[in-house]
């Protein structure tokens, strides 16, 4: 990997030795065999970040059902994370159960989470990583815009289905405006296969075939 270049989709997540609210961890090694979502937030004790953490926690069980862990992160010291967690539990009756990384800026810079044009803290980045430690998706949101956690959950589920079934997912799956909850069949590899597609699958043409999941 080139120096000073952030990892990209399809590449291995670099090894990160971090301190978290659940002890020291090595990423992705400590999460081998399971998916994880590593997401950064600008700062503790801020309104938008607080709403995000509550939203992630309320969906934590759904992520766990997908064999997926959540890992938060910001450039705050671990005691600030702990105190913020306590505040959320005491005032909003929500216990944050996933780890939060206390970064000194090293991880933020390595993963391209610090965008100088938006300040010195981390933007709202999301890295979805598979059980083999490969980055499968990356999202970036500005500080002023909270993320849609249902979309992150949908992405993890869709990536798992795509990998298992060798299919692609349409826009807004599973509520696509054209084919509903059907999935896209991979493109034909030759002329004969293209002809067979027209009788094997529902389609609009040989290059646009779709099917229901089994």
């Amino acid at each position: 990997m080139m120096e000073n270049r952030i990892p990209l989709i399809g590449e291995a997540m670099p090894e990160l030795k971090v301190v978290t609210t659940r002890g020291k961890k090595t990423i992705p090694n400590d999460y081998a065999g399971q998916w994880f979502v590593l997401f950064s937030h600008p700062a503790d004790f801020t309104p938008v970040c607080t709403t995000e953490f509550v939203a992630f926690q309320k969906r934590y069980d759904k992520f766990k059902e997908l064999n997926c862990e959540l890992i938060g992160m910001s450039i705050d010291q671990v005691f600030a994370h702990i105190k913020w967690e306590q505040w959320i539990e005491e005032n909003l009756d929500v216990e944050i159960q996933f780890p939060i990384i206390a970064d000194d800026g090293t991880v933020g810079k390595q993963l391209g989470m610090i965008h100088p044009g938006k300040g010195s803290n981390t933007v709202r980045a999301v890295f979805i990583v598979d059980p083999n430690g490969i980055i499968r998706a990356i999202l970036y949101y500005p500080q002023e815009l909270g993320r849609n956690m249902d979309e992150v959950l949908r992405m993890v589920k869709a990536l798992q289905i795509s990998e298992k079934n060798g299919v692609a997912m349409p826009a807004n799956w599973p509520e696509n405006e054209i084919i509903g909850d059907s999935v896209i069949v991979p493109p034909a590899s030759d002329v004969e296969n293209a002809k067979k597609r027209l009788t094997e699958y529902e389609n609009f043409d040989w290059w646009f075939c779709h099917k229901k999941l089994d």
Side-chain angles (χ1 to χ4, degrees):
M1 183 176 296
M2 295 173 59
E3 188 177 0
N4 298 326
R5 184 176 72 82
I6 66 171
L8 304 177
I9 293 173
E11 296 180 349
M13 170 66 79
E15 183 177 279
L16 309 171
K17 294 185 181 296
V18 297
V19 174
T20 82
T21 50
R22 299 296 188 275
K24 294 182 179 180
K25 294 184 180 296
T26 300
I27 298 172
N29 303 21
D30 289 350
Y31 297 93
Q34 67 179 130
W35 293 71
F36 66 86
V37 174
L38 172 59
F39 65 96
S40 60
H41 64 285
D44 299 342
F45 296 101
T46 55
V48 178
C49 297
T50 300
T51 63
E52 288 192 320
F53 269 68
V54 169
F56 265 128
Q57 180 59 49
K58 286 183 175 295
R59 291 158 180 79
Y60 190 38
D61 287 344
K62 293 183 178 180
F63 281 101
K64 298 287 277 187
E65 289 173 5
L66 296 173
N67 188 35
C68 182
E69 183 58 75
L70 296 176
I71 309 169
M73 193 203 88
S74 74
I75 302 176
D76 288 288
Q77 297 184 15
V78 71
F79 70 80
H81 289 333
I82 294 171
K83 186 61 180 178
W84 186 38
E85 280 191 22
Q86 292 174 346
W87 188 95
I88 291 173
E89 184 171 7
E90 291 169 0
N91 292 274
L92 303 176
D93 198 29
V94 174
E95 179 186 0
I96 303 301
Q97 298 174 322
F98 50 84
I100 310 174
I101 296 171
D103 184 33
D104 62 2
T106 302
V107 174
K109 291 177 182 177
Q110 190 171 2
L111 297 182
M113 295 172 168
I114 300 174
H115 297 191
K118 293 294 291 181
S120 59
N121 56 3
T122 50
V123 295
R124 302 182 193 281
V126 178
F127 284 76
I128 299 178
V129 182
D130 71 19
N132 296 314
I134 302 301
I135 298 169
R136 302 297 296 274
I138 303 173
L139 301 172
Y140 287 105
Y141 288 68
Q143 289 92 333
E144 64 270 23
L145 178 61
R147 286 161 285 205
N148 185 325
M149 283 45 178
D150 288 328
E151 168 63 5
V152 179
L153 185 64
R154 183 191 80 98
M155 290 176 69
V156 174
K157 184 176 182 180
L159 286 166
Q160 292 183 359
I161 290 174
S162 175
E163 182 174 90
K164 180 180 179 180
N165 296 276
V167 296
M169 322 305 283
N172 297 325
W173 180 89
E175 298 177 358
N176 178 259
E177 291 81 355
I178 302 174
I179 61 175
D181 63 355
S182 292
V183 294
I184 305 294
V185 179
S189 58
D190 53 54
V191 173
E192 187 62 31
N193 187 254
K195 292 179 180 178
K196 290 173 61 178
R197 292 292 176 91
L198 297 176
T199 58
E200 290 179 335
Y201 301 106
E202 295 183 66
N203 66 84
F204 294 99
D205 207 330
W206 64 265
W207 54 270
F208 192 165
C209 300
H210 58 94
K211 68 176 183 177
K212 296 289 186 180
L213 286 170
D214 296 331

